[in-house]
Amino acid sequence: MVALGGGHGLYASLSALRMVTDQLTAVVTVADDGGSSGRLRRELGVLPPGDLRMALAALCGDDEWGSTWSEVVQHRFRSEGELHGHAVGNLLIVALWELLGDSVAGLDWVGRLLGAHGRVLPMASVPLDIVAQVELDGVISTVRGQVACALTPGRVQAITLVPEDPPARPEAVAAVLDADWVVFGPGSWFTSVLPHLKVPELARALHATRARRLVTLNLAPQPGETDDFSPQQHLEVLRQHAPDLSIDVVLADTGIVDDPGALEKAAAALDARLVMADVAAADGSPRHDPRRLASVLDEIFLQKR
């Protein structure tokens, strides 16, 4: 299995997928320019480590060792000084990058320390900037940077990357080509999910792979990115950014679908069949329940649903 994305969405996907496979690779976006990641990126010129750290934390073991290290790498310093807001895991990852001189080797070492149930890879070898075309009151403007894209007023129409032709990590390309399933989402649609399709070599692998492709839809619009988006609009945007990419399965939580017919039509435009199931947390919050999601994914992978 290969899971694509970043941030909290990828964390949710990995938390479920690790329950159904022991052959799991996360391919993570590297465009974050805010918070601790943005500071380290600007000061040291490294890949932003935050989304990579979260993916590793999601893959930590359930034993005392794994749960303790998951808390450690996610811990943020609170102070009045320069360390305020930095995540311990970000500093650990960057330290290993400096010592080893290789981003994948550093992540593999952190994964071994954490007892991670899977591998975490950056989607590109260099830090990326997201450039969004944003519409507000009929006027189109350009916004650069992941944080700016997420916070800008207006509706994001499309994204591109800077640099336009970034080098994909060869390990990420190989993982996609070797996979049985590739899972897109959930996550911030324009800044975590779609960027993978804008790295040319990785995009070619996503089109060429014999793996089946699954899209897990979000439970709620992303403020600032997909305000007022319906579930089917997420699929329409995916098709606009990758018109030749076929999807096998679209998974949607039953509670978010107001118009099943429209969503089924949007899925069919991607050559996908629609699976609707209860995968949200029971408390009503807009987050996926890992066990519910794992159960449904397992049935889909085994062709029982």
Side-chain angles (χ1 to χ4, degrees):
M1 306 291 175
V2 170
L4 308 178
H8 294 284
L10 181 59
Y11 187 98
S13 182
L14 294 174
S15 297
L17 286 167
R18 54 169 292 188
M19 298 182 192
V20 299
T21 180
D22 58 1
Q23 298 292 318
L24 178 57
T25 300
V27 177
V28 185
T29 184
V30 286
D32 192 6
D33 60 353
S36 171
S37 285
R39 290 159 63 191
L40 290 167
R41 171 180 174 170
R42 288 187 293 272
E43 184 172 342
L44 301 173
V46 296
L47 297 174
D51 287 347
L52 298 159
R53 180 202 80 242
M54 285 194 67
L56 285 163
L59 296 176
C60 279
D62 295 321
D63 58 2
E64 183 181 13
W65 180 273
S67 60
T68 300
W69 274 108
S70 180
E71 291 181 10
V72 169
V73 298
Q74 295 283 63
H75 177 74
R76 291 185 183 273
F77 294 107
R78 294 288 178 261
S79 74
E80 299 297 324
E82 292 296 320
L83 276 177
H84 178 74
H86 272 306
V88 173
N90 289 355
L91 302 177
L92 176 63
I93 289 169
V94 172
L96 278 162
W97 286 345
E98 290 195 344
L99 288 169
L100 300 175
D102 183 88
S103 59
V104 168
L107 292 168
D108 286 343
W109 271 94
V110 178
R112 289 167 62 186
L113 174 65
L114 272 54
H117 293 241
R119 197 180 192 196
V120 173
L121 301 170
M123 71 176 185
S125 299
V126 297
L128 305 175
D129 278 334
I130 295 173
V131 178
Q133 300 298 311
V134 181
E135 185 272 330
L136 180 62
D137 298 328
V139 177
I140 303 295
S141 60
T142 300
V143 176
R144 178 166 175 165
Q146 180 171 321
V147 173
C149 293
L151 298 178
T152 185
R155 174 173 286 192
V156 178
Q157 302 289 307
I159 62 157
T160 55
L161 296 179
V162 176
E164 291 185 3
D165 189 7
R169 267 314 293 207
E171 298 88 345
V173 172
V176 167
L177 292 173
D178 193 44
D180 294 311
W181 282 86
V182 174
V183 178
F184 296 82
S188 301
W189 217 242
F190 286 100
T191 56
S192 289
V193 178
L194 296 180
H196 293 77
L197 297 165
K198 292 299 180 179
V199 178
E201 191 177 2
L202 184 59
R204 286 193 290 271
L206 289 166
H207 283 75
T209 181
R210 295 182 181 180
R212 303 187 73 191
R213 306 171 188 88
L214 181 144
V215 172
T216 303
L217 288 174
N218 292 339
L219 297 173
Q222 182 78 13
E225 279 193 37
T226 54
D227 287 312
D228 303 321
F229 266 41
S230 65
Q232 53 267 28
Q233 283 177 293
H234 286 76
L235 297 183
E236 291 163 3
V237 167
L238 174 60
R239 189 177 179 218
Q240 290 166 10
H241 283 76
D244 297 325
L245 183 70
S246 63
I247 302 296
D248 294 278
V249 179
V250 170
L251 173 59
D253 180 72
T254 307
I256 69 166
V257 181
D258 293 327
D259 190 342
L263 182 56
E264 191 164 11
K265 182 178 179 181
L270 293 167
D271 300 322
R273 63 184 181 88
L274 174 64
V275 174
M276 293 172 53
D278 294 325
V279 292
D283 61 9
S285 62
R287 59 185 180 86
H288 289 83
D289 180 274
R291 295 195 177 279
R292 287 182 173 183
L293 181 57
S295 177
V296 174
L297 288 173
D298 192 41
E299 290 181 356
I300 292 172
F301 297 151
L302 295 174
Q303 298 183 350
K304 294 180 179 179
R305 188 188 274 262

